[in-house]
Amino acid sequence: MLSVLRGIPASPGIVVGPVHLLRWEVPEVRHRLVDDSSIEQEIERFHAAVERARERLRLLRARTEAQAGPEEAAIFDVQLSILDDGELTNSTIALIRQNLGAEKAFDIVLLEWRQHFARSSAPMLREKVGDLTDVHIRVLSILLDLPDHDPVDVPRGSNTILVTHDLTPSLTMQLDRECIAAIATEAGTATAHVAILARSLGLPAVVGLRNALTALHGGEIVILDGAEGTMVISPSDHEVDEARQRVAEEEGRADVIRELALSEPVTRDGVRVVIRANVDIPEESDYGASSGAEGVGLMRTEFLVVGRASMPDEEEQYRAYTRVVKAFAGQTVIIRTYDVGGDKLPVGGFPHEANPFLGWRAIRMCLDESELFKVQLRALLRAAVHGDLRIMLPLVVTVDEVRETRQLISECIDELAARRVPFRDDVPLGVMIETPAAAVACDTLVRDVDFFSIGSNDLVQYMLAVDRGNANLAPRFTPFHPAVLRLMAQVQATGAAHGIDVCVCGEMASQPLAVFALLGLGLRQLSVAPRAVADVKRIIRGVRAEVAADAAQAAMACSTAREAEVLLRRRLRAELQL
């Protein structure tokens, strides 16, 4: 029997607590026929299951509204409307009258609906696929008498460690952070969205924890160590005492970390670096502003559309952006337009694509759905009145995408002027450099944009042809490959030659060894999770830029990522006298 599960460290911290297993997937349904005398009983069983699911959704809706607000609670309205659909009821009953068991009849109808909606050309129907899947799981679980594993059904104050196969962003949005103390997933890597979100929220997390759902039992006490990437099952009293002692020691370092976070990020030879914060949701902005960060280098806006029943209107977006800008008064706030698709599915989900990371996502989707995009752009132009807001476009590969966006911004300016609402018409526009095309051709982009921001997660993924969400490939996903380092150096040099800012906002900027390398490549602006600000400043204050530059040059000349990483680590340890 396994006593320790080993995965990939995703977010530091130690938690001792009970496990909550979340199996949120459509269960298998065996083909079952019933005789004529049982048909009415099956129909009654189906009605009872639907009613129980309806009651459950109403309860969840009320709880979500009380805890998060009416807009977040509205995600359950679509699912309630699906249960109320007469066609769903009639189609299921028709199949039961053909002697199918209630669960098989419902399963067939929902599969047909999901396939039909996914193929629809109407965005409103495609958006319902995710809600249909949730209803599918919920009703089948009741009919099959499976344990209730509702995503939000965790007792308050239970210090629970959530264990699931893969926590999608839409499920993450439903979690009550007052109940969940840590996250563990079977899938994913350190750069998967769930890992990034866990770090932003300060939730310890381990990903790539294979077979965790099989090895663990609900309610079982474990020790999760997010820094080591381990989970100790049914620990001894001694192991629990030791873990709690380490937690106390971490809390004792809080004053030291706070002092370091507020220090100046200047190297030993006098080079000043700007450290900004990555922000996932507006609620993070107050914490981010007190972390020692000098503004926001990346505010993700996917929280507005993931796990929702309807798109947010201009006023809701304006309020969200304004909150962040005001929290960082007098400092730069860079807000990225929707980067949905891939592993971040918007309102109800996307149509199926064989390779979603190479598919209809980010700026491509925004330009094709220009009326939705313009709502976001208008909200951003209005929020810019309150501070130094800048707009950043994701997944740009050609200058045409920048020019089309500028045309839409121009239309938004005319519309806002006609409405006589306050806005700014000079908001800087930048792009994320996260594809090889954008990096290699950045000299063609530089004339049409105001700044670059290197998205290291996707750039490494596309450069090395390694899926960053695939746990099997995690060791091959490395930002220290000499080709990656050379390309980043090229982007930095191009930006410097044209006098525009170049920042790194991917996870790479939070890693101590990578900070040393980026400093050596000439980068002087980094954006990291608020919790990482102190550690990044510690590295910067402990090294000399000229030494880092010499090490980066040597790393770029290496033959392999391993050689480059070993070389950088040796130089950094020598510089820090470790």
Side-chain angles (χ1 to χ4, degrees):
M1 178 180 171
L2 286 174
S3 59
V4 180
L5 298 178
R6 299 187 185 281
I8 300 169
S11 180
I14 300 171
V15 174
V16 180
V19 161
H20 178 82
L21 301 179
L22 170 60
R23 291 188 173 91
W24 199 242
E25 54 193 8
V26 177
E28 288 189 19
V29 180
R30 69 180 179 85
H31 192 79
R32 184 172 69 90
L33 295 176
V34 297
D35 56 39
D36 291 346
S37 63
S38 300
I39 286 178
E40 293 306 321
Q41 183 181 347
E42 287 297 303
I43 293 173
E44 186 177 335
R45 202 163 69 87
F46 165 65
H47 282 309
V50 170
E51 184 53 32
R52 190 172 149 196
R54 192 181 283 122
E55 289 173 1
R56 182 66 179 162
L57 284 169
R58 287 173 181 153
L59 178 65
L60 293 172
R61 193 193 188 291
R63 184 194 300 176
T64 304
E65 183 167 359
Q67 294 174 0
E71 288 152 350
E72 286 74 8
I75 63 174
F76 298 107
D77 288 344
V78 174
Q79 296 179 32
L80 282 165
S81 70
I82 291 170
L83 288 177
D84 291 338
D85 194 305
E87 186 179 342
L88 172 72
T89 301
N90 294 336
S91 299
T92 303
I93 290 176
L95 288 177
I96 293 174
R97 293 199 183 282
Q98 295 175 32
N99 299 93
L100 278 177
E103 64 278 3
K104 191 62 184 176
F106 183 76
D107 189 39
I108 291 172
V109 172
L110 262 292
L111 283 172
E112 289 177 348
W113 277 33
R114 286 167 57 193
Q115 289 174 2
H116 172 68
F117 283 24
R119 289 195 300 264
S120 173
S121 59
M124 289 298 290
L125 291 181
R126 292 202 305 269
E127 289 171 1
K128 284 190 175 182
V129 173
D131 295 295
L132 281 169
T133 303
D134 273 0
V135 169
H136 198 171
I137 296 169
R138 194 176 297 281
V139 174
L140 275 186
S141 296
I142 296 169
L143 285 167
L144 295 170
D145 199 25
L146 297 174
D148 192 350
H149 290 298
D150 198 285
V152 295
D153 191 19
V154 178
R156 285 205 146 223
S158 56
N159 202 45
T160 295
I161 298 169
L162 184 76
V163 180
T164 186
H165 175 69
D166 192 9
L167 195 61
T168 64
S170 60
L171 285 178
T172 306
M173 292 297 290
Q174 298 180 48
L175 297 177
D176 186 344
R177 296 173 195 121
E178 296 295 323
C179 313
I180 305 298
I183 298 171
T185 63
E186 292 184 321
T189 66
T191 57
H193 187 80
V194 62
I196 294 171
L197 193 59
R199 285 192 287 274
S200 296
L201 296 172
L203 283 174
V206 178
V207 299
L209 208 60
R210 297 180 188 178
N211 304 317
L213 287 170
T214 305
L216 296 167
H217 303 286
E220 195 169 23
I221 299 297
V222 301
I223 300 173
L224 180 143
D225 188 332
E228 295 294 326
T230 59
M231 181 180 280
V232 180
I233 305 172
S234 298
S236 64
D237 291 344
H238 173 71
E239 288 172 319
V240 169
D241 289 343
E242 193 176 66
R244 287 179 173 153
Q245 184 178 347
R246 290 172 60 194
V247 171
E249 289 171 356
E250 286 295 317
E251 291 172 352
R253 291 182 60 234
D255 289 342
V256 176
I257 292 173
R258 193 176 302 112
E259 184 178 344
L260 189 57
L262 298 178
S263 64
E264 284 282 299
V266 181
T267 64
R268 284 163 50 201
D269 52 356
V271 174
R272 179 69 159 80
V273 180
V274 175
I275 310 297
R276 298 196 179 104
N278 293 340
V279 172
D280 281 297
I281 51 179
E283 287 74 12
E284 269 189 283
S285 54
D286 292 337
Y287 172 60
S290 64
S291 69
E294 303 170 87
V296 174
L298 168 63
M299 179 187 175
R300 302 177 175 94
T301 57
E302 292 75 68
F303 74 94
L304 286 162
V305 294
V306 170
R308 291 277 301 266
S310 59
M311 292 295 288
D313 62 19
E314 183 182 312
E315 284 301 316
E316 181 185 347
Q317 295 190 56
Y318 165 72
R319 289 194 298 271
Y321 306 147
T322 299
R323 176 173 177 178
V324 180
V325 171
K326 287 185 174 179
F328 289 87
Q331 297 176 318
T332 298
V333 173
I334 298 174
I335 299 181
R336 184 179 69 186
T337 56
Y338 297 140
D339 186 16
V340 292
D343 62 343
K344 291 165 278 189
L345 302 182
V347 184
F350 261 28
H352 174 74
E353 292 184 310
N355 294 299
F357 281 98
L358 304 179
W360 191 61
R361 52 169 293 211
I363 191 64
R364 302 165 186 178
M365 183 277 289
C366 287
L367 291 174
D368 286 350
E369 299 287 344
S370 59
E371 289 306 312
L372 293 178
F373 192 24
K374 284 172 66 177
V375 174
Q376 183 176 41
L377 294 173
R378 287 196 299 268
L380 289 166
L381 296 177
R382 289 176 56 196
V385 169
H386 302 286
D388 182 13
L389 184 152
R390 305 179 187 187
I391 299 173
M392 182 161 67
L393 308 178
L395 204 69
V396 166
V397 295
T398 168
V399 72
D400 291 340
E401 292 160 336
V402 178
R403 291 171 181 169
E404 285 185 53
T405 302
R406 286 202 180 277
Q407 175 57 39
L408 293 177
I409 290 175
S410 178
E411 294 173 17
C412 290
I413 287 172
D414 292 342
E415 291 162 6
L416 291 171
R419 286 165 46 191
R420 298 180 182 278
V421 295
F423 68 95
R424 270 183 50 196
D425 62 1
D426 60 346
V427 177
L429 180 67
V431 295
M432 290 194 77
I433 302 295
E434 53 186 342
T435 67
V440 171
C442 65
D443 59 334
T444 63
L445 287 166
V446 74
R447 291 186 286 273
D448 286 78
V449 302
D450 300 302
F451 62 92
F452 288 152
S453 188
I454 298 174
S456 59
N457 298 341
D458 277 348
L459 184 59
V460 172
Q461 170 173 257
Y462 295 131
M463 276 286 291
L464 305 184
V466 172
D467 179 357
R468 66 187 175 96
N470 188 331
N472 294 325
L473 299 175
R476 299 174 186 271
F477 183 89
T478 168
F480 300 109
H481 193 294
V484 175
L485 298 177
R486 291 179 199 176
L487 203 56
M488 287 185 178
Q490 178 181 324
V491 174
Q492 163 60 25
T494 301
H498 290 79
I500 71 168
D501 291 343
V502 181
C503 177
V504 176
C505 62
E507 286 301 302
M508 180 182 182
S510 298
Q511 303 172 22
L513 188 62
V515 169
F516 182 57
L518 293 171
L519 191 63
L521 294 176
L523 275 303
R524 298 292 180 261
Q525 296 188 24
L526 305 175
S527 188
V528 304
R531 294 175 67 85
V533 169
D535 276 342
V536 171
K537 286 188 177 182
R538 179 176 60 83
I539 296 299
I540 290 170
R541 291 170 60 85
V543 303
R544 289 166 292 176
E546 63 175 317
V547 173
D550 182 66
Q553 286 296 321
M556 285 190 285
C558 288
S559 300
T560 69
R562 178 63 180 160
E563 288 178 14
E565 184 173 350
V566 168
L567 181 148
L568 287 166
R569 195 176 302 283
R570 188 175 67 247
R571 299 281 184 92
L572 176 59
R573 290 178 65 86
E575 187 69 352
L576 295 176
Q577 298 182 332
L578 295 176

